[in-house]
Amino acid sequence: MELAIAHETIARWQFGITTVYHFLFVPLTISLAAIVAGLETAWVRTNKEKYFHATKFWGKLFLINIAMGVVTGIVQEFQFGMNWSDYSRFVGDVFGAPLAMEALIAFFFESTFIGLWIFGWDKLPKKIHCACMWMVALGTVLSAYFILAANSWMQHPVGYSIDPATGKAQLTDIAKVLFQNTTLTVVAHTLTAAFLTGAAFMVGIASFHLWKAKRKPENADPKKTAVMRTSLRLGLVLAVVFGAGTALSGDSLAKVMFEQQPMKMAAAEALWDTQSPAPFSIFAVGDVSKGHNSVELEIPGILSFLAHSDFNSSVPGINDTAAAEAAKYGGDPKDYIPSIFVTYWGFRLMIGFGMTSFVAGLIGLWTTRRKKFLRPEFRTGETEVPRLMLTPGREMGPFLTKWSWRIGILTMGFPLIANSFGWIFTEMGRQPWAVFGLMTTASAVSPNVSVGTQIGALTTFTLLYAILAVVEVRLLVKYAKAGPVVTEQPPAKDPTLRGPSSDDDADKPLAFAY
């Protein structure tokens, strides 16, 4: 018994570490692809160099991120065969369909068109080159959609039947799997959170460069300042729009979860007993063994509204939900209670860090509302020294202090933390189920993998990912701190007009700047 518990625990730790690590890159990949496509579209339409330099700069960071995301994502595919073979046998016919679509459709879009975009700067017409990045952005969204559809099926199985001869799940309706309300709400919440992540990433890096320009205006490059000023404003607008979208989609998802997985949402609120109306918990300290909270700080009626849009509705508690599941599936009611500590605090940390970026976006958008903030102006005289102005004739105001810039920089990491806790809450709150109502996590583990092998794999992956994290961070920091290469000239308006003997195709030294 103890060996089986250790077997499951190690397998879950390995999958959790690799999944959370991989998902650090996914939201940035999704959002930066579309942001870069939008910036290139602005360049194509206006021919303004600041948009070209912004496209190249953020595109470079996008490429670093997607490369690491692909490497870590491949490992996820092997996880199912390594530690979860019984799960793969049971759900393979259903779970494999959206994953196959992701590989054959979405990944094809990403890999093909990203190659054309990287190597086609001086080979393709501007509009076609820009369209390539839009296709990459489409591919990233489709990839997320198919994977989230597979995960949503684990949360709420639909469109399947159980083969009486083999006991395996068989796909009967792919449309239900792809378009059930769980999938649609999860996709909406994940995508809005992804764009909030990309927005905060832009705000953080742009804040760093503009703060540096403010501190040493004599070293500031007007072209770099223009790129970062545009990036900051774009990031702030996206943070506000998609921060609001994340909150609204999160509310819709919570209502779906209250119906489909009442235990998860009761655990998220540490709501032990069914209440009508049910309060929203701000802070709680409970005793799982006794099934109640010893310390509570609550707002009456709010949980009822979040669950059913009715301040007086009844919300089932942990104890009643556990008893109902035990009666339906058998066993001890305590077996159906997830980790209250993880779900309760994971839910709050997800909301707290995510909404902090939204609030920072609102504040930043207000403090930079004048379009001429950080506009480079030059003093006349013996030497020309750039002087960064908030508005003509006025030095930078009190709003844009060093603390404003520091908050902007710190904001960069908040959505990443929120995304991680969001997925931890989503998966831990579903326990003890691997597939809700059909297969427990304990039944999904590979039976023939020894504990020693699992420990070795867990140690290896953890160390390898730690090394990759150092490489990723150093690359991002290096190129983010360097800023855009504003000396680079945009390619010709129509590269196809060049003759075959053009020297532009001669061999050149390779560099990361694609």
Side-chain angles (χ1 to χ4, degrees):
M1 182 64 180
E2 292 181 357
L3 184 63
I5 294 174
H7 194 68
E8 178 190 350
T9 300
I10 297 170
R12 288 177 63 183
W13 267 104
Q14 181 174 326
F15 194 83
I17 290 172
T18 54
T19 300
V20 170
Y21 186 88
H22 171 63
F23 200 74
L24 291 174
F25 309 107
V26 172
L28 276 179
T29 297
I30 295 171
S31 55
L32 286 180
I35 289 170
V36 171
L39 288 170
E40 186 169 1
T41 300
W43 169 59
V44 170
R45 290 178 62 86
T46 66
N47 281 318
K48 292 183 179 180
E49 285 193 9
K50 68 175 182 178
Y51 291 123
F52 169 74
H53 294 140
T55 301
K56 297 284 281 187
F57 174 69
W58 295 109
K60 187 181 300 183
L61 300 182
F62 163 74
L63 292 176
I64 296 173
N65 186 78
I66 195 174
M68 195 65 70
V70 169
V71 170
T72 56
I74 292 174
V75 176
Q76 295 302 99
E77 302 290 339
F78 291 99
Q79 291 283 301
F80 299 114
M82 292 167 58
N83 286 332
W84 307 98
S85 60
D86 278 359
Y87 166 83
S88 298
R89 294 188 186 95
F90 177 68
V91 306
D93 290 346
V94 180
F95 195 77
L99 292 186
M101 291 179 178
E102 190 272 336
L104 295 174
I105 300 174
F107 194 70
F108 169 80
F109 272 77
E110 293 178 64
S111 57
T112 300
F113 288 101
I114 200 171
L116 291 172
W117 189 78
I118 292 172
F119 299 107
W121 274 103
D122 56 351
K123 305 292 190 303
L124 299 173
K126 290 166 61 175
K127 292 183 179 179
I128 294 179
H129 186 266
C130 180
C132 288
M133 180 49 76
W134 279 114
M135 297 303 287
V136 173
L138 174 63
T140 61
V141 172
L142 288 175
S143 180
Y145 190 99
F146 290 128
I147 292 173
L148 290 172
N151 181 267
S152 296
W153 186 85
M154 296 168 64
Q155 310 286 343
H156 185 237
V158 294
Y160 75 97
S161 64
I162 301 297
D163 188 335
T166 63
K168 298 178 181 179
Q170 290 185 323
L171 181 65
T172 58
D173 192 338
I174 186 61
K176 287 185 177 180
V177 175
L178 294 179
F179 303 113
Q180 64 160 316
N181 60 348
T182 311
T183 299
L184 297 178
T185 51
V186 167
V187 168
H189 190 53
T190 303
L191 291 181
T192 51
F195 278 93
L196 176 60
T197 304
F201 186 73
M202 290 188 77
V203 169
I205 294 175
S207 295
F208 168 78
H209 282 279
L210 294 175
W211 182 29
K212 188 169 66 172
K214 174 184 179 294
R215 292 173 62 196
K216 296 183 178 180
E218 65 277 6
N219 296 329
D221 187 321
K223 288 187 176 182
K224 280 190 177 182
T225 301
V227 171
M228 289 305 166
R229 186 175 63 246
T230 299
S231 297
L232 179 63
R233 287 290 292 180
L234 175 60
L236 290 171
V237 171
L238 293 177
V240 171
V241 171
F242 288 102
T246 301
L248 293 174
S249 61
D251 177 68
S252 298
L253 180 57
K255 286 178 168 59
V256 171
M257 289 296 101
F258 271 112
E259 295 179 5
Q260 298 175 355
Q261 296 183 20
M263 175 59 80
K264 178 186 291 186
M265 301 312 297
E269 291 300 320
L271 183 71
W272 289 97
D273 299 311
T274 301
Q275 296 188 41
S276 176
F280 180 85
S281 175
I282 298 176
F283 179 82
V285 176
D287 189 333
V288 177
S289 62
K290 296 181 180 179
H292 66 81
N293 296 328
S294 55
V295 178
E296 294 178 326
L297 179 60
E298 302 172 333
I299 303 177
I302 298 299
L303 185 59
S304 293
F305 181 79
L306 293 176
H308 306 296
S309 299
D310 181 356
F311 286 103
N312 296 310
S313 65
S314 176
V315 177
I318 296 171
N319 294 325
D320 291 338
T321 304
E325 292 195 9
K328 183 176 182 179
Y329 303 109
D332 190 329
K334 291 183 179 179
D335 295 337
Y336 296 93
I337 300 177
S339 171
I340 304 301
F341 178 84
V342 172
T343 51
Y344 181 85
W345 289 110
F347 188 65
R348 272 142 193 78
L349 290 169
M350 172 189 68
I351 295 174
F353 280 105
M355 289 301 97
T356 298
S357 290
F358 169 65
V359 173
L362 282 174
I363 296 173
L365 207 56
W366 172 257
T367 58
T368 61
R369 64 192 182 280
R370 298 179 185 275
K371 294 183 178 181
K372 293 183 179 181
F373 81 100
L374 279 179
R375 182 171 64 86
E377 293 192 354
F378 292 85
R379 298 170 183 165
T380 58
E382 296 180 0
T383 59
E384 291 187 346
V385 181
R387 181 177 59 178
L388 299 176
M389 307 289 286
L390 178 63
T391 57
R394 193 171 108 193
E395 296 292 345
M396 294 186 65
F399 289 115
L400 297 179
T401 64
K402 62 181 180 180
W403 291 108
S404 300
W405 299 120
R406 287 174 178 173
I407 291 172
I409 295 169
L410 289 174
T411 301
M412 178 168 50
F414 291 163
L416 295 173
I417 298 173
N419 292 333
S420 297
F421 279 111
W423 272 112
I424 291 171
F425 161 72
T426 299
E427 299 305 304
M428 291 287 286
R430 191 178 69 242
Q431 299 305 313
W433 300 106
V435 181
F436 190 80
L438 295 181
M439 186 180 212
T440 64
T441 305
S443 302
V445 181
S446 299
N448 298 321
V449 180
S450 67
V451 173
T453 301
Q454 285 185 314
I455 293 175
L458 174 61
T459 304
T460 301
F461 277 119
T462 303
L463 292 175
L464 177 61
Y465 278 17
I467 295 171
L468 289 176
V470 173
V471 174
E472 164 84 1
V473 170
R474 291 190 66 175
L475 282 173
L476 284 176
V477 169
K478 176 182 177 181
Y479 289 102
K481 288 179 67 175
V485 183
V486 294
T487 56
E488 183 178 2
Q489 295 299 312
K493 291 185 177 180
D494 189 356
T496 59
L497 297 178
R498 295 197 310 263
S501 61
S502 172
D503 293 336
D504 289 347
D505 290 330
D507 291 337
K508 301 175 182 178
L510 293 177
F512 180 77
Y514 57 96

